[in-house]
């Protein structure tokens, strides 16, 4: 009796192994093969390998995401984003491509392409998955500043911990927003920006200007002669 039970268990495990290989092993092998081909620059065969699986299941988000990675390796951003949007439309994610990663990547591509309306929408959506996502918050405030929506920019900036940001342009933007909202501490942010790169004429000029507003004329004059444009030849 024990022998029969043992044989039954072995057979069951064997069947499970075959099923796993067919439905999961094959998919993993397809992804590895396609990405390896793409890494070698053989993008046509890489796409053909993935397309065979997609013909069987057009809603296979793992294959759709793999397709997007191939286009990313080919530096074809618009086709990459089209496949990422298909993943997002289906709404089925996996550990290697969680929703925040997919949404941020879509937004980032649109941002790089100067398609700011689309980028703004997707970065807003990113905050639904991660309300304190730095990339989304910083990009949203930049786009709001670009549209001169200073109150909206300020709303996003209030959610960003300054100590976690190492981007000079962010502190320049924050200083501009603070000044446009008629607050008197804009010099703090221009100072941070200036200290990050004291060769920056923009940060230096704005810092000097903000110091003069609070009557720190000597400090402002100490900065100006050290700025690169101060030594330019006259027109």
């Amino acid at each position: 009796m024990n022998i029969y039970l043992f044989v039954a268990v072995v057979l069951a495990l064997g069947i499970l192994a075959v099923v796993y290989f067919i439905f999961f092993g094959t998919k993993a092998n397809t992804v590895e093969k396609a990405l390896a081909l793409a890494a070698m620059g053989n993008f046509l065969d890489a796409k053909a390998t993935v397309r065979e699986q997609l013909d069987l299941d057009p809603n296979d988000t793992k294959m759709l995401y793999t397709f997007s990675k191939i286009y990313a390796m080919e530096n074809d951003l618009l086709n990459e984003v089209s496949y990422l949007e298909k993943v997002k439309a289906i709404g089925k994610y996996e550990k290697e491509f969680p929703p925040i990663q997919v949404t941020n990547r879509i937004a980032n591509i649109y941002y790089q392409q100067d398609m700011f309306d689309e980028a703004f929408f997707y970065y807003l959506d990113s905050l639904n998955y991660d309300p304190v996502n730095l990339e989304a918050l910083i990009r949203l405030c930049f786009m709001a500043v670009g549209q001169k929506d200073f109150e909206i920019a300020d709303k996003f900036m209030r959610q960003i911990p300054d100590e976690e940001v190492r981007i000079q342009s962010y502190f320049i933007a924050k200083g501009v927003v603070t000044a446009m909202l008629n607050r008197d501490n804009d010099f703090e942010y221009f100072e941070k920006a200036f200290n990050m790169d004291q060769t920056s004429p923009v940060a230096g000029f704005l810092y000097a200007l903000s110091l003069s507003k609070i009557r720190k004329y000597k400090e402002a004059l100490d900065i100006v002669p050290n700025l690169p444009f101060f030594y330019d030849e006259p027109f």
Side-chain angles (χ1 to χ4, degrees), residues 78 107-119 143:
L78 292 181
N108 182 44
I109 290 172
Y110 282 131
Y111 190 89
Q112 291 180 54
Q113 299 295 313
D114 294 336
M115 299 170 69
F116 296 122
D117 288 342
E118 292 85 350
M143 286 185 279

Side-chain angles (χ1 to χ4, degrees), residues 27-151:
K27 183 183 293 188
N29 293 339
T30 299
V31 170
E32 291 177 5
K33 178 182 176 182
L35 294 179
L37 288 167
M40 293 186 290
N42 192 347
F43 297 112
L44 287 177
D45 286 346
K47 293 171 191 173
T49 301
V50 177
R51 192 172 287 111
E52 289 178 3
Q53 292 294 319
L54 280 176
D55 287 343
L56 299 174
D57 182 5
N59 292 326
D60 187 333
T61 54
K62 192 176 186 72
M63 291 299 125
L64 291 170
Y65 184 72
T66 303
F67 231 134
S68 77
K69 290 181 72 175
I70 293 169
Y71 278 116
M73 296 166 75
E74 198 176 11
N75 200 31
D76 185 342
L77 298 181
L78 292 181
N79 269 317
E80 178 191 354
V81 80
S82 71
Y83 278 90
L84 290 174
E85 286 183 321
K86 289 177 182 179
V87 172
K88 192 162 178 59
I90 294 168
K92 181 183 176 183
Y93 304 93
E94 296 195 17
K95 186 177 181 180
E96 63 265 35
F97 53 96
I100 183 65
Q101 179 178 312
V102 172
T103 309
N104 265 8
R105 180 57 183 164
I106 294 171
N108 182 44
I109 290 172
Y110 282 131
Y111 190 89
Q112 291 180 54
Q113 299 295 313
D114 294 336
M115 299 170 69
F116 296 122
D117 288 342
E118 292 85 350
F120 196 90
F121 169 79
Y122 278 107
Y123 274 130
L124 275 181
D125 192 31
S126 290
L127 297 182
N128 292 324
Y129 302 109
D130 180 6
V132 293
N133 185 266
L134 278 181
E135 178 185 338
L137 289 170
I138 291 172
R139 286 282 176 80
L140 285 166
C141 82
F142 280 159
M143 286 185 279
V145 170
Q147 292 298 312
K148 299 182 180 180
D149 291 325
F150 301 114
E151 291 186 358

